[in-house]
Amino acid sequence: MIRRLLLPLLLLLLAVGAPADPRSARAALQKNPPEYAWNLFLELNSPLAGPGPKIWETTFRQSNTIYLPMGEKPAPWGLEQGPCGPGVHDLDSSTQVDGLALLDKWGSPLRYQILMNEPAFDYLVDRDLYNVNGQQKAATGLPVDFPMTASELKASWIWIGQDAAKRAELQGKYYIAGACYPVFDRNGRSAGWQKGAAALAGLHISNKLLPTWVWITFENVYNDQFTRAKLELPVPDAVQAANQVYQQRLQAAGSVFANYRLNGIQTAYTEPGFLGASTPALLANSTLESAFQPRSSCVTCHGTAAIHPDGRYFDAGTPIVAPPDLHAKGFVPLDFVWSMKRASRQR
């Protein structure tokens, strides 16, 4: 029955889904941004019904297998080894970009991960940008300029672990997958890994179709019930209309992704305001920018991704609403890729 219900939706994706060619994808984005965002989300989360793995879980690589503790060259694509085995998400952070934790209704922090696709990985390796040493060289040489095919993801998860009651509350409302996270003793030394399950609360999607990248964010509609945050920015009318269409199709197909909504898409620092005046373009996810949603700007924040020739990263503080002049401050842009700040110095 699920396969029969999915057929119309899959045919729709084949007809108007995100094309593999980046220039065609850019045309689809410019024609109808919400439709482009939804089709990309559905493509990444195929198969849409049933358990994983989903496309993004097998075609994107976790950043902590790329930016290594000693700054060494990462293993070739496809040969990386996750700490908890294949197909298990390593949720290596419990804080948001502002350094604060978001708690779920049970009092546990949400957990996070950053991933990138193969074109982004290849560029990092070819340019030796996986450690601070290589990034410093780029600061005095060839500018960092990722290819149009580069993409990154940032996911937020509600930790379930082995808690059967917690899983029962989230089952059917969230996409649930196997996960782990590192634990440390009181002296900060590694004490192994906590293993279990986690529920996908939010997904940032970014790609290099435009020079300022494309910023898309989805989150689960039940987040305000199961986390201590709620979406504060309004969802644009056109996005709400697209949400209704796609959620209804997914519900008919028996897909848990009917419980996710597009919050919006951002492609520029500003957008038209009252009487033609420009206003800062804002976009947020309640589980990824909880504390500063009303002033959250993906493109502006990532626009400050920069390094000084001495190896220092730019720190504008959060939130920011206007891009600073990085060159005037002695910093060199890292092409909107803040995950590069995870790099270590080669030893």
Side-chain angles (χ1 to χ4, degrees):
M1 175 63 71
I2 287 177
R3 289 184 179 178
R4 289 199 298 270
L5 289 171
L6 273 176
L7 184 59
L9 182 58
L10 294 177
L11 290 175
L12 172 72
L13 289 177
L14 290 173
V16 296
D21 174 62
R23 288 172 176 79
S24 298
R26 186 162 61 184
L29 166 68
Q30 294 170 338
K31 180 181 179 181
N32 190 324
E35 182 179 86
Y36 165 81
W38 259 108
N39 286 330
L40 181 56
F41 179 75
L42 297 183
E43 179 184 345
L44 289 171
N45 285 293
S46 296
L48 297 171
K54 307 305 179 185
I55 292 293
W56 69 273
E57 295 176 290
T58 59
T59 59
F60 279 69
R61 178 168 169 173
Q62 300 198 167
S63 63
N64 57 8
T65 70
I66 300 168
Y67 304 114
L68 302 176
M70 304 296 287
E72 64 267 39
K73 187 174 183 178
W77 187 267
L79 299 181
E80 69 277 8
Q81 295 294 322
C84 300
V88 178
H89 293 270
D90 178 8
L91 312 182
D92 62 353
S93 174
S94 59
T95 59
Q96 301 177 78
V97 67
D98 56 9
L100 300 176
L102 170 63
L103 302 182
D104 62 27
K105 80 167 191 174
W106 296 273
S108 298
L110 269 68
R111 306 201 66 90
Y112 304 91
Q113 64 180 154
I114 298 175
L115 311 96
M116 66 176 58
N117 69 353
E118 189 170 2
F121 171 82
D122 288 343
Y123 182 79
L124 279 174
V125 172
D126 291 345
R127 291 287 311 276
D128 294 328
L129 298 173
Y130 49 83
N131 57 39
V132 176
N133 311 62
Q135 294 176 25
Q136 281 184 265
K137 292 180 182 177
T140 58
L142 188 67
V144 177
D145 185 16
F146 281 80
M148 288 179 66
T149 50
S151 182
E152 277 200 329
L153 304 176
K154 186 172 184 180
S156 59
W157 298 83
I158 298 172
W159 181 253
I160 297 173
Q162 307 295 336
D163 189 329
K166 189 173 183 179
R167 181 170 187 141
E169 282 198 59
L170 299 171
Q171 192 77 46
K173 297 180 176 70
Y174 287 80
Y175 172 64
I176 295 175
C180 68
Y181 66 85
V183 292
F184 303 91
D185 64 21
R186 65 180 61 186
N187 297 314
R189 293 175 298 202
S190 176
W193 301 85
Q194 185 74 34
K195 300 179 182 179
L200 183 66
L203 188 66
H204 274 335
I205 306 169
S206 62
N207 62 46
K208 185 65 186 296
L209 288 182
L210 300 175
T212 53
W213 291 63
V214 177
W215 309 92
I216 298 166
T217 194
F218 282 83
E219 68 172 277
N220 193 284
V221 298
Y222 291 102
N223 281 340
D224 61 353
Q225 297 181 29
F226 293 103
T227 76
R228 299 183 185 181
K230 64 179 181 179
L231 185 64
E232 297 177 24
L233 285 176
V235 177
D237 291 344
V239 173
Q240 290 191 53
N243 286 345
Q244 185 175 9
V245 169
Y246 282 86
Q247 287 168 342
Q248 287 176 349
R249 290 171 178 166
L250 287 164
Q251 187 175 25
S255 173
V256 72
F257 293 104
N259 299 326
Y260 290 81
R261 68 164 172 251
L262 172 64
N263 289 350
I265 311 144
Q266 189 178 19
T267 59
Y269 294 109
T270 61
E271 59 188 7
F274 183 66
L275 297 178
S278 293
T279 60
L282 302 176
L283 181 61
N285 187 301
S286 72
T287 66
L288 287 155
E289 297 93 11
S290 302
F292 59 89
Q293 292 182 65
R295 293 178 288 171
S296 176
S297 170
C298 300
V299 66
T300 306
C301 178
H302 282 265
T304 66
I307 191 170
H308 194 277
D310 65 10
R312 289 180 293 126
Y313 292 103
F314 184 75
D315 182 9
T318 55
I320 52 176
V321 295
D325 187 342
L326 296 170
H327 291 287
K329 298 177 180 294
F331 287 82
V332 177
L334 294 174
D335 197 19
F336 296 85
V337 181
W338 253 137
S339 67
M340 292 171 68
K341 192 176 181 179
R342 290 189 157 204
S344 299
R345 187 170 294 280
Q346 191 174 37
R347 302 173 188 176

